[in-house]
Amino acid sequence: MEEKKVRHILNQFSVYGDLESFKGFGNGHINNTYISVRNQGGTLVRYTHQRINKNVFKNPEQVVQNIHNVTGHIYNKLKAEQNGSISPSRRVLQIVPAKDGKLWHIDDAGDYWRTYVFIEHASTLEVMSGTDLAYKVGKAVGTFQKQLSDYTGPVLYETIPRFHNMHWRYEQFDEAVASDKAGRLSSVKDEVDFLQTNRDRGMILSDGLANGRLKSGITHNDTKLNNILFDDATGEAICMIDLDTVMPGTVLFDTGDLIRTATNTGAEDERDLSKVGFNADLFRALIGGYMSEASDFLTDYEKSLIAESGRVFAQIMAVRFLTDYLNGDVYYKIERPSHNLDRTRTQLALMKSMDAQKNEIESIMRELGIGLSER
């Protein structure tokens, strides 16, 4: 985008001071991000500006409104507590409104932009380095859920309809199998058969929400490591970021994706499946950290499904990856023809590794004082 256009857009927000500079930031594939520097009476202050991807988020206003409602609740809670060395302004994202009073600015091309106060002296991490970090990550997710467990504000929008609905994902999968648009079905019979065999087991979270056994709350829905901000000085988790997918759901959506991403010994698209497996030590630390914050607001039934939620999320991602592979790679960005198939096989390998360590997982859950559901 031309520098003049970006500068004009950034100046549409209610930010005090002269715009000194700005530059592109990060390597995200969803939203375009810039960091600006403002001179506020001799003090340089940074802000984050993002153009929201309308192809992914069909209703950007709803996305920003959800974030505003959630971050406002968390900020007010932190301000009331004031019991830590870290300022509330560093422990939750803060949206800066546009000059017209709206939470977003619409540019001449019809694209939506939003602005946050930049949280200084903090970083994200890409590699799960060990159990100490796993504990912190689990605790961060538990803290986020705990902060929102008493939310009574406006009902949040479902910004991506049926995002984690396993029934819907299998409907898409069935259509992909039936149509075989890319002519690839004959080469993935084993993968299809495995997913069909596990079909009913994977429905437990979707069915639990539908029949009321699982309560609906507020979930982040993308609880991977690099969506947590850590303090550069102390190494402690500060807050959750990338809140675009915050919406109603069961807290087990967050534990599921957390377990799926944090305990896998291989990359999500690893081609050497011997490197892929479930790390029980990371799981123990992860859930230990999570339960240190979440224990009080979870029901016994929710607790009993924590471990299973990780397997469910490996399954739902396998279904989504294989659906895209059968459809000719129309959704996920790929770097090689087999990329979505590699991703599928990694998720299936993770599921099988979890099954092979069933006794160890049950032992860890008992160790943490958590009962297990009979499903």
Side-chain angles (χ1 to χ4, degrees), residues 172-186 322-330:
Q172 295 178 307
F173 178 62
D174 291 341
E175 292 174 5
V177 170
S179 60
D180 190 19
K181 293 178 181 178
R184 293 170 167 176
L185 181 61
S186 62
L322 190 54
T323 297
D324 200 33
Y325 182 72
L326 291 170
N327 285 336
D329 309 308
V330 295

Side-chain angles (χ1 to χ4, degrees), residues 32-233:
N32 295 98
T33 303
Y34 293 88
I35 299 297
S36 70
V37 178
R38 295 272 177 170
N39 188 328
Q40 298 182 346
T43 300
L44 299 182
V45 180
R46 293 198 285 179
Y47 294 85
T48 304
H49 313 269
Q50 289 183 319
R51 179 173 59 185
I52 302 172
N53 188 324
K54 291 191 297 184
N55 292 326
V56 175
F57 301 103
K58 306 301 183 184
N59 297 290
E61 294 180 11
Q62 294 181 0
V63 172
V64 183
Q65 190 64 57
N66 278 1
I67 296 172
H68 173 71
N69 292 337
V70 164
T71 55
H73 177 84
I74 293 175
Y75 182 83
N76 290 336
K77 202 166 187 177
L78 291 170
K79 192 173 182 181
E81 294 171 355
Q82 287 285 316
N83 61 355
S85 58
I86 301 177
S87 166
S89 63
R90 297 193 73 230
R91 294 173 64 192
V92 64
L93 293 176
Q94 295 181 79
I95 291 180
V96 179
K99 290 178 179 178
D100 63 5
K102 295 180 179 178
L103 298 171
W104 53 81
H105 167 70
I106 305 175
D107 66 18
D108 292 339
D111 288 319
Y112 284 72
W113 292 77
R114 47 117 182 275
T115 292
Y116 296 117
V117 177
F118 187 86
I119 298 178
E120 299 285 356
H121 309 299
S123 308
T124 58
L125 303 174
E126 296 293 336
V127 178
M128 186 64 73
S129 58
T131 55
D132 287 347
L133 179 57
Y135 186 91
K136 293 177 182 178
V137 169
K139 185 174 182 179
V141 173
T143 297
F144 179 79
Q145 291 183 351
K146 184 176 183 179
Q147 289 169 333
L148 294 171
S149 62
D150 61 351
Y151 176 85
T152 56
V155 176
L156 299 191
Y157 296 101
E158 189 179 15
T159 52
I160 305 180
R162 300 176 290 185
F163 190 39
H164 293 319
N165 186 306
M166 188 72 91
H167 288 282
W168 184 55
R169 295 302 183 184
Y170 263 94
E171 288 174 15
Q172 295 178 307
F173 178 62
D174 291 341
E175 292 174 5
V177 170
S179 60
D180 190 19
K181 293 178 181 178
R184 293 170 167 176
L185 181 61
S186 62
S187 65
V188 292
K189 287 291 188 181
D190 289 345
E191 289 79 9
V192 170
D193 288 346
F194 184 84
L195 288 174
Q196 294 292 21
T197 299
N198 282 270
R199 186 184 191 112
D200 290 344
R201 181 173 174 181
M203 300 296 174
I204 193 164
L205 302 188
S206 295
D207 287 347
L209 272 176
N211 63 29
R213 291 198 72 187
L214 293 174
K215 64 179 184 289
S216 179
I218 298 174
T219 50
H220 184 283
N221 292 301
D222 193 15
T223 49
K224 56 181 182 284
L225 172 62
N226 61 9
N227 280 336
I228 298 171
L229 206 57
F230 294 87
D231 185 85
D232 289 340

